[in-house]
Amino acid sequence: MKRIKLLDKEFALSIPASDIKKAVWTVAQKLNHDLKDADPLIVCILNGSFMFAADLMKLIEFPCQVSFVKLASYEGTASTGTVKELIGFNETIEGRTIILLEDIIDSGITVSICVDMLAQMKAKEVVVATLLFKPEALRKNIKIDYAGIEIPNDFIVGYGLDYNGYGRNLPDIYSVIQ
Ligand code: IMP
Ligand code: MG
């Protein structure tokens, strides 16, 4: 099994690029079927989602626009997420169908905050699409409309996901070795 080292941690190959490609394709086909007449705005949550967004967008066959948000979310001791907008929503959201793109849904706090913000901005509809989903880690009651691959509750890197900023460039996904 291929292994890599990033900073102080070792990682083992867990999802090869070929499987990621299939999962991206499957999500794209579902979106192409379900949202072809919605004229949606795709909102990509930075940083981790940039690679997923780039590959997915190339497979979308309906008219759409894309925008990026960057949030720093901190978890309070009372387990309520608060968020700082580093790059905010600057398109008109009111009345639009939004496809919210995440690289991975872990606790669900980031997506849940974004969905609430979009609802406040009067989005017509928000659909959530994530490449990866850790069902065991989910702590928020959110609706995940499209999930590419369900994974165990392990820390992973690659394909946009990082460990302290490193590993985003890797085409495959690796899991930390405990
Ligand atoms: P959530 O708010 O807990 O759902 O976490 C979502 C964000 O945490 C994701 O968008 C990722 O940026 C980051 N994240 C969650 N799990 C991992 C992981 O295993 N590796 C790297 N980043 C992760
Ligand atoms: Mg992310």
Side-chain angles (χ1 to χ4, degrees):
M1 183 63 77
K2 192 177 168 196
R3 291 189 175 210
I4 54 155
K5 192 163 188 220
L6 295 172
L7 303 172
D8 60 330
K9 292 200 192 302
E10 269 206 273
F11 297 83
L13 181 65
S14 64
I15 309 174
S18 53
D19 288 0
I20 299 170
K21 195 175 172 186
K22 277 184 222 152
V24 175
W25 188 87
T26 302
V27 171
Q29 293 317 303
K30 290 180 181 163
L31 293 171
N32 282 333
H33 177 267
D34 296 348
L35 295 169
K36 56 180 186 297
D37 300 316
D39 185 21
L41 174 67
I42 299 178
V43 174
C44 167
I45 306 175
L46 294 173
N47 290 328
S49 308
F50 73 95
M51 216 176 264
F52 175 45
D55 286 345
L56 184 80
M57 288 291 293
K58 287 178 268 182
L59 301 170
I60 296 291
E61 290 164 355
F62 50 77
C64 61
Q65 294 176 319
V66 66
S67 184
F68 299 86
V69 290
K70 185 169 181 174
L71 308 172
S73 56
Y74 302 89
E75 227 196 295
T77 47
S79 82
T80 48
T82 57
V83 75
K84 202 164 110 189
E85 265 185 63
L86 303 176
I87 300 174
F89 294 92
N90 43 30
E91 274 76 12
T92 304
I93 302 296
E94 187 170 345
R96 291 205 73 177
T97 295
I98 309 294
I99 304 175
L100 192 56
L101 280 195
E102 253 293 32
D103 50 351
I104 184 163
I105 296 181
D106 185 281
S107 68
I109 289 171
T110 309
V111 161
S112 147
I113 288 166
C114 286
V115 169
D116 289 350
M117 289 168 105
L118 290 161
Q120 269 171 31
M121 289 182 269
K122 300 191 169 68
K124 179 179 165 194
E125 171 192 26
V126 181
V127 301
V128 174
T130 185
L131 176 65
L132 301 151
F133 172 40
K134 294 181 187 173
E136 291 158 36
L138 191 67
R139 290 170 39 203
K140 289 276 172 184
N141 182 20
I142 49 170
K143 183 170 68 78
I144 302 169
D145 301 276
Y146 307 91
I149 308 173
E150 289 193 7
I151 59 165
N153 196 6
D154 298 327
F155 186 76
I156 59 166
V157 293
Y159 196 75
L161 289 120
D162 71 303
Y163 170 49
N164 282 353
Y166 292 94
R168 296 192 194 275
N169 53 309
L170 300 164
D172 305 293
I173 289 175
Y174 295 78
S175 298
V176 74
I177 298 168
Q178 307 295 344

